[in-house]
Structures are given as structure tokens and as C-alpha cells.
Amino acid sequence: MAATRHPNRLGLKGWAVGGRWGPERYLYTLHRLSGLGLLAYFLIHIVVTSSRAFGPEAWNQAMGAVGGPVFKVGEFLVLCAFAFHAWNGLRLVLVELGVLTGKAEEPVYPYRSSLNVQRPFLIAMMLLAAATILLGGWELFVLSH
Amino acid sequence: MKISERSLWTWQIATGVVILVLLGLHMGIMHLNDTLGLAVWNPAGNDPLDWQNVTARARQVFFTVTYVLLLATALFHGLNGLRNILFELGPTPRARSLIVAALTVVGAGLLILGTWAAVAARAAAAM
């Protein structure tokens, strides 16, 4: 069984609680949740928008079926998931490639590279995500189409 | 065909970068059309979902190609991500094969549907 091979595996519970975590660990959980939400939306989105291949009536009928305030709130949630997943994903890619991780140093507390380089980078990405949500939300709810 | 976890993860990152660019463009055109002044891609007014705008994009080879590229990369990125999450729950080898088979069928099916729609929309744009 997997549980015996990986005794430290927390399963789904590990997404929410696992000890004293920094913000990066909560972003990991959010990245997964937003990813699952985006995937669910995307699979439906492919089918709905494929109606354009059948001409204007089919397209307008499909767009009519996904209109109204409930779908608008749903679209805003998709926008939030997109903004977060995109900016946090950019952070994950850059950190994976060793960009903006700071110089290698002895792991002596307080960890300067993680606090002085990675943490401000994380905050910058989250501010960009917030700005994206505000800008998109403005167009979605205020300018409205 | 057995693809190593390592190369799947590399593809996950590579497709993520492609999606970042193409989905950024897609979201910009569809949702920040007014704010960013992207009238060049929505010539028939500021509703990107208006049939005239949909066909104006569908007629351009650029959109046909990037739609299919975004479709393929996003399907891989999303379904492989779901696979990573499911595998982490510790399924048996048999369950793993079933998960991969099911996700492959879903991915291939939607890739075919979406690619067909992007190409067929070029003809529908003439209607």
C-alpha cells in the first residue's frame, strides 16, 4: 500500500493542515484548487464554444444558455482562479528554474534568501493577481457587455 | 507507451509557459477588451461574444492556429495536473492505468472536437 511506502503522506488532509506552514504552502493548496476549478470550466468551455462551428443560431443559443447573473458570478470566479493560477504559476516556474531564489547560503535562521528575495517576489505576484482580478472584475461588472 | 514522470513534469512547466502567453492574450481579448483598447481583434463593437466578432477572429489563420495550440497545451496541462493530484492519493497500479486511460480518452476526444470546431468555424464564418 502507498501509505506504508510513504508514511509521511497526509493525503487530502495535507492540503489544509500539516503543521506550521509558510504562505507558500497555502498557495500550493490554492494552486491545486484553482487548477481543478479551471479544468472543470475549461472542459465545458470547449464543448460550449464549439457551437460556433454550426453557425450564428447555434452560437447565440449556446451563449443564451450560459447568460444571466449566476453565470456572471461563475465567470468572476473563473477570472479569480485564472489570475491567481497564472501569476502563482509564473512564480513556480521561475523558482523551479532557480530564478529569483537568491544566492545559495548556509541554512541559518533567519533564512535571508527566502525572506528577502522569495517572499517579496511572492507578494509582488499576489499583488499582480489582485490587480488582474480588479481590472477584469471592473470590465465584467461595471463596463459590462 | 510509458512516459517518465520527469519528462511529464518538464512538459507541465513548458505547457504552463505557453498557456501563460496564449491564455493571457485570450483573456485580454475576451475580458479586457475595453480596458486595454483591443478593438483591432473585435472590429464589430466591444462585445467579444458578438457573432460578427467571433467570425472576424475565426477567419484569421492566426486565431485558428493559436486556438488549437492553446487547446492542446491547456488540455495536457489540466489533465496531467489532475493525474498528479489523483496519483498522490495512492491508487493501485491498476487504478493508475485506468486513470491514465480515462484522462487520455477525455483529452483526445476534446482535442478532436475543439480542433474540428476551430477549423469548421472558418467555414461557418462565411455564413
Side-chain angles (χ1 to χ4, degrees):
Chain A
M1 280 302 289
T4 51
R5 277 190 285 114
H6 304 285
N8 61 342
R9 178 175 277 165
L10 294 172
L12 275 181
K13 191 182 138 223
W15 287 28
V17 286
R20 286 191 293 170
W21 285 348
E24 288 83 358
R25 180 61 199 228
Y26 291 100
L27 294 191
Y28 155 89
T29 301
L30 265 181
H31 201 76
R32 291 199 146 182
L33 288 177
S34 59
L36 288 173
L38 288 169
L39 178 64
Y41 171 82
F42 179 49
L43 299 183
I44 300 166
H45 183 65
I46 295 169
V47 176
V48 172
T49 55
S50 288
S51 64
R52 73 193 186 283
F54 296 104
E57 291 82 19
W59 172 257
N60 289 330
Q61 201 185 344
M63 287 302 103
V66 291
V70 175
F71 283 95
K72 199 140 198 178
V73 171
E75 281 180 347
F76 180 67
L77 289 177
V78 173
L79 169 74
C80 294
F82 156 75
F84 170 76
H85 203 88
W87 290 113
N88 191 54
L90 177 62
R91 179 182 73 87
L92 292 176
V93 170
L94 291 179
V95 168
E96 175 101 11
L97 298 177
V99 181
L100 288 168
T101 48
K103 276 188 185 148
E105 60 179 24
E106 271 195 73
V108 180
Y109 190 83
Y111 312 122
R112 270 174 291 128
S113 77
S114 69
L115 284 179
N116 297 349
V117 184
Q118 291 185 44
R119 191 58 54 81
F121 176 40
L122 180 156
I123 292 168
M125 290 298 106
M126 290 304 104
L127 287 176
L128 284 169
T132 307
I133 290 169
L134 285 177
L135 208 59
W138 167 261
E139 179 137 343
L140 189 65
F141 291 114
V142 183
L143 298 181
S144 193
H145 293 304
Chain B
M1 185 174 57
K2 178 82 182 143
I3 307 164
S4 74
E5 288 295 323
R6 184 176 161 74
S7 73
L8 279 174
W9 182 241
T10 305
W11 277 104
Q12 188 73 1
I13 294 171
T15 51
V17 174
V18 174
I19 295 163
L20 199 62
V21 175
L22 292 182
L23 190 57
L25 187 65
H26 183 66
M27 293 298 274
I29 292 170
M30 305 311 288
H31 295 291
L32 295 174
N33 176 48
D34 290 341
T35 319
L36 300 180
L38 297 175
V40 61
W41 284 307
N42 292 303
N46 63 4
D47 180 6
L49 298 178
D50 185 278
W51 177 251
Q52 296 304 323
N53 278 329
V54 172
T55 52
R57 290 191 300 268
R59 267 191 287 271
Q60 297 174 47
V61 177
F62 171 77
F63 279 97
T64 310
V65 171
T66 51
Y67 275 150
V68 174
L69 187 58
L70 180 57
L71 174 73
T73 50
L75 272 174
F76 172 82
H77 191 87
L79 294 173
N80 188 50
L82 176 58
R83 173 194 155 284
N84 287 344
I85 290 174
L86 292 174
F87 273 28
E88 213 185 76
L89 302 176
T92 60
R94 189 178 150 70
R96 285 175 175 236
S97 315
L98 284 173
I99 289 168
V100 170
L103 295 181
T104 307
V105 167
V106 170
L110 288 173
L111 179 63
I112 291 168
L113 171 68
T115 305
W116 167 80
V119 176
R122 298 175 64 79
M127 282 162 83

